[in-house]
Every structure is written in structure tokens, then in C-alpha cells.
Amino acid sequence: MKTYLKEIAIGFLGLLIMSLVIGGYIRSTKIQQSNTRADIYDVIPPDVNALLAVNRPSVFSSMILEKRALYDVFVSQIPSLFLSFVRESLHLQSLLLSFHPQGVVCYIQEGDRMKNAIEKILKSHFKAYKPVKMNVSGMAFYYYADVDGRFFGYFMYNGVWVGSYSKKLLEKATRQQLNPETSFPEKMKQLRSSFDTNAPLNIIFPAKELNLYVSGRGAPAWRITDKWLAADLFLSEENLCCYGSLPYEQNKTLAMYKSMGDTISARVRSLYSSVRLSFRVDREGERVYYTGCMPVRK
């Protein structure tokens, strides 16, 4: 009987050791795979004008599908194909868009399920057309013919899927992956690190687009000189809200920062008439925080 129990104990010990070895191998494989994957932000061509990170595609999808005022804004800036990825893929965990003078680039961290989902959406979008494969510098590019004589292209490298209607931007993204000598501006890197990735959307955009200044009310006029501004976008009940901050300058008053909130609201409304934000401005230490909200209806 003792011999029998001893054999059982040895058997269990052997299974335990085997499970530990297999588990360690699986963990090391996953670590190795994650190390070989490229950071999506490292792929972005350096001549970027703005960034939009979609952290929660399901929330973003409901925003653009159900809220007409928001739908018009996003559709005016984002190719419908990229919005299809958000609406139709259940496997999409996040998506990044970069905006350039030549067009928009879409980046998706790719896995097997996401790869199959993308291919399915592309086949549905382009219907009877099959992609043409081109090899450039050892990199495989795929191009679909679209309407109006346009071509949509994409490539996959180190676990990142990159697509755009601009051949030039795709080539720049390829060079950025193979020879990462340059990257997007340092200020944008700093703002990226401030993102709340729990928010459905993060955006970085050029301050010059809004031409932000206030008269100063007895003081010299004040103009925002930061090249880049960032904001988190989220839904709160029946409101769309954006949240961002600026450094507090000792020679400015809180009233001037509140006036800047009114200026931001007016500038955004001049670009998108359906977007009417009301800002709350608060100071904490060396920063001033802006929370702008607007009611949105279906």
C-alpha cells in the first residue's frame, strides 16, 4: 500500500513539474512575441498634423452611429473605411489615426483574429476587386482600386497593420519602421503620455487650427503659443465632454483662462457648427484644467 501511495505521489510531482515547465515556456513565448511587436506610435510618419486614438471602439461606434452631430464631424475627417473597422469588428481593441497633409493613416495592433476581421471588411468594402500585391524593399504592399480613381493600400509588419489612401504616407510609415531615425515631435510624445487611455478617445491637434487668444482685459493680449494641444473625449450621460489642460502662467489670471475657454468654444463652433461646448475651468497647482461639454441627441 505504501509503495502504491509513493507511486501516486511521484506521478503527481511529475505532472506538477511538467505543468511548470510548459507554463514557463508559454510565458516566455508571449514575452518574446510582445518584444518583437512594434509600438504603433513608432510607425507614425514624422509630418503628422494630428492624432486620434480610439481606445474603446464600441463606445466610439455608438457615438458616431447614434449621435448625428458627432457623426457629421467624424465622417468629415475620417475615411468611411476606417469607420467600418470600428463599427463592424468585434475583435478590435483599439485603433490609431494620424492626420497628414497627404491624408489619413490607420494603425491597428494585429492578431490572428483581428487580421481575419480586417480582411473580411476589406473584401466586403471593395466587393469584386482583389488586391494587387507589390513588393518594395522586401516589404509586401496590397492595393485595392476604389472609386474616383483612388487606391487604398496597406501593409503588415511586426504585428502592426497600417492602411492609407496615400501611397506616399504608406512608404513613409514603412521607412519609419525599418529605419526609425526620426519620429513625431517631442511635444506630441509628452502629450501622448498624458492620455487617459480609459477615455473612449484621445486627440492631439495643432493649436494654430483654433487661433487661440484673448484680449487680456487691460493686460497685453495673450495668445496660446503651444504648438500642440491634447484632450480626452468621453460621454457623460447625454453629454459629449472633452478634458484637457494648459500650464498655469503666473502673469495670467484665472479670468483670462476662463475667457480662453470661451474662445475655444467659439473656434470649435466655427469649424463644426453642430459642436457647441460650454467650458468649466479649474486651477490645480501649476496647471489649469478645461472640461467642455455639450448635450448630444440621436
Side-chain angles (χ1 to χ4, degrees):
M1 185 69 178
K2 290 183 179 180
T3 303
Y4 178 69
L5 292 175
K6 183 178 180 180
E7 290 177 352
I8 292 177
I10 293 174
F12 274 116
L13 181 61
L15 289 174
L16 177 61
I17 293 174
M18 184 178 296
S19 64
L20 291 174
V21 170
I22 293 174
Y25 172 76
I26 292 174
R27 286 193 298 272
S28 65
T29 302
K30 287 183 177 179
I31 293 173
Q32 185 177 11
Q33 288 175 345
S34 63
N35 289 337
T36 59
R37 285 192 168 194
D39 183 346
I40 285 183
Y41 287 87
D42 291 338
V43 187
I44 300 172
D47 61 340
V48 57
N49 280 348
L51 290 176
L52 178 67
V54 181
N55 305 312
R56 297 167 63 187
S58 60
V59 176
F60 181 48
S61 179
S62 64
M63 287 168 62
I64 62 176
L65 285 177
E66 298 179 12
K67 315 297 183 183
R68 187 68 203 184
L70 305 181
Y71 177 86
D72 292 339
V73 172
F74 288 117
V75 167
S76 69
Q77 301 295 325
I78 302 172
S80 61
L81 175 59
F82 299 156
L83 296 179
S84 295
F85 294 153
V86 177
R87 289 196 296 258
E88 299 177 26
S89 176
L90 298 177
H91 305 297
L92 182 65
Q93 297 181 346
S94 63
L95 177 144
L96 178 67
L97 298 169
S98 65
F99 300 82
H100 307 256
Q102 304 95 332
V104 185
V105 185
C106 178
Y107 313 83
I108 298 174
Q109 202 81 53
E110 185 189 48
D112 290 338
R113 296 171 72 181
M114 192 64 239
K115 178 182 177 181
N116 294 334
I118 291 174
E119 291 179 353
K120 183 178 179 180
I121 292 172
L122 291 176
K123 289 179 181 178
S124 173
H125 186 86
F126 295 106
K127 301 189 185 318
Y129 297 103
K130 292 184 179 181
V132 175
K133 182 179 179 180
M134 298 177 60
N135 288 293
V136 180
S137 301
M139 184 78 74
F141 292 82
Y142 300 85
Y143 288 95
Y144 282 95
D146 206 346
V147 296
D148 301 327
R150 297 193 305 165
F151 288 85
F152 175 79
Y154 72 92
F155 69 87
M156 297 164 286
Y157 186 76
N158 276 3
V160 178
W161 182 95
V162 184
S164 178
Y165 279 94
S166 170
K167 182 173 180 290
K168 183 177 292 186
L169 285 175
L170 285 178
E171 292 173 350
K172 284 184 177 181
T174 303
R175 290 195 296 270
Q176 188 69 19
Q177 280 213 11
L178 299 178
N179 301 293
E181 298 178 357
T182 59
S183 185
F184 58 96
E186 187 64 30
K187 179 64 174 178
M188 294 186 78
K189 285 186 178 181
Q190 296 173 9
L191 290 174
R192 171 205 165 187
S193 66
S194 71
F195 279 167
D196 177 6
T197 54
N198 290 317
L201 303 172
N202 309 124
I203 186 171
I204 298 178
F205 59 96
K208 65 180 181 181
E209 292 293 326
L210 298 181
N211 189 25
L212 297 176
Y213 68 89
V214 294
S215 63
R217 297 179 182 177
W222 172 40
R223 184 182 300 273
I224 294 291
T225 56
D226 287 33
K227 188 174 182 180
W228 307 102
L229 300 174
D232 302 321
L233 279 67
F234 57 96
L235 285 177
S236 176
E237 297 180 350
E238 290 299 312
N239 294 289
L240 169 72
C241 298
C242 62
Y243 180 78
S245 68
L246 288 171
Y248 179 75
E249 299 179 24
Q250 295 297 329
N251 61 340
K252 304 293 188 300
T253 65
L254 189 59
M256 293 178 68
Y257 281 96
K258 291 181 178 179
S259 294
M260 185 59 73
D262 296 335
T263 302
I264 293 173
S265 178
R267 296 290 187 271
V268 172
R269 188 166 65 248
S270 68
L271 294 173
Y272 307 105
S273 60
S274 61
V275 179
R276 299 174 177 269
L277 295 167
S278 297
F279 279 92
R280 173 181 171 180
V281 181
D282 301 288
R283 179 190 171 189
E284 292 185 14
E286 298 304 314
R287 298 199 70 81
V288 175
Y289 295 89
Y290 289 84
T291 304
C293 294
M294 61 170 278
V296 287
R297 300 177 180 83
K298 292 185 179 181

